[in-house]
């Protein structure tokens, strides 16, 4: 998806199980990357059927946590564009 957007070799990729599920635990890594590279845009992806979510693995849970994650990152980076996505088996949906 990122390559299709023309971003090949032009992004930092931080991956963790559950991505937005517990963003507070990895926020420091993200903030460090932002400090080093000063990106114009930050993208957070969750994917459906995520084992890290366990019984809470629903679209509603992902959307809620993605929006919360965006809010956490916007607190320290209000000038940044932060986009959130839910990756399905057949498509990637941007969440507004």
């Amino acid at each position: 998806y990122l390559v299709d957007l023309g971003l090949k070799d032009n992004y930092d990729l931080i991956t963790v199980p559950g991505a937005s599920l517990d963003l507070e635990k990895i926020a420091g890594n993200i903030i460090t990357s932002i400090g080093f590279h000063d990106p114009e845009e930050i993208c957070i992806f969750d994917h459906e059927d995520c084992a890290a979510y366990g019984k809470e693995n629903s679209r509603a849970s992902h959307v809620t946590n993605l929006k919360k994650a965006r809010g956490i990152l916007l607190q320290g980076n209000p000038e940044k564009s932060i986009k959130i996505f839910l990756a399905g088996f057949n498509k990637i949906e941007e969440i507004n």
Side-chain angles (χ1 to χ4, degrees):
Y1 183 77
L2 296 173
V3 170
D4 289 345
L5 290 178
L7 297 173
K8 184 177 184 205
D9 300 325
N10 195 26
Y11 60 88
D12 279 353
L13 180 64
I14 300 170
T15 62
V16 294
S20 70
L21 183 61
D22 237 345
L23 187 90
E24 295 92 348
K25 289 183 179 180
I26 63 162
N29 294 336
I30 296 168
I31 291 165
T32 297
S33 182
I34 293 168
F36 285 145
H37 302 288
D38 192 29
E40 294 176 17
E41 186 172 80
I42 300 164
C43 299
I44 306 169
F45 290 83
D46 270 7
H47 69 87
E48 65 182 35
D49 197 27
C50 179
Y53 268 76
K55 293 180 182 180
E56 298 299 318
N57 189 27
S58 68
R59 183 182 191 288
S61 292
H62 284 283
V63 169
T64 297
N65 287 328
L66 283 163
K67 288 180 178 182
K68 179 181 174 187
R70 178 174 51 198
I72 289 168
L73 292 179
L74 279 172
Q75 286 178 7
N77 303 281
E79 76 288 355
K80 300 293 182 191
S81 169
I82 301 178
K83 295 183 177 182
I84 54 177
F85 299 87
L86 183 56
F89 293 110
N90 298 315
K91 69 177 183 172
I92 296 177
E93 173 188 5
E94 184 172 359
I95 307 297
N96 293 316

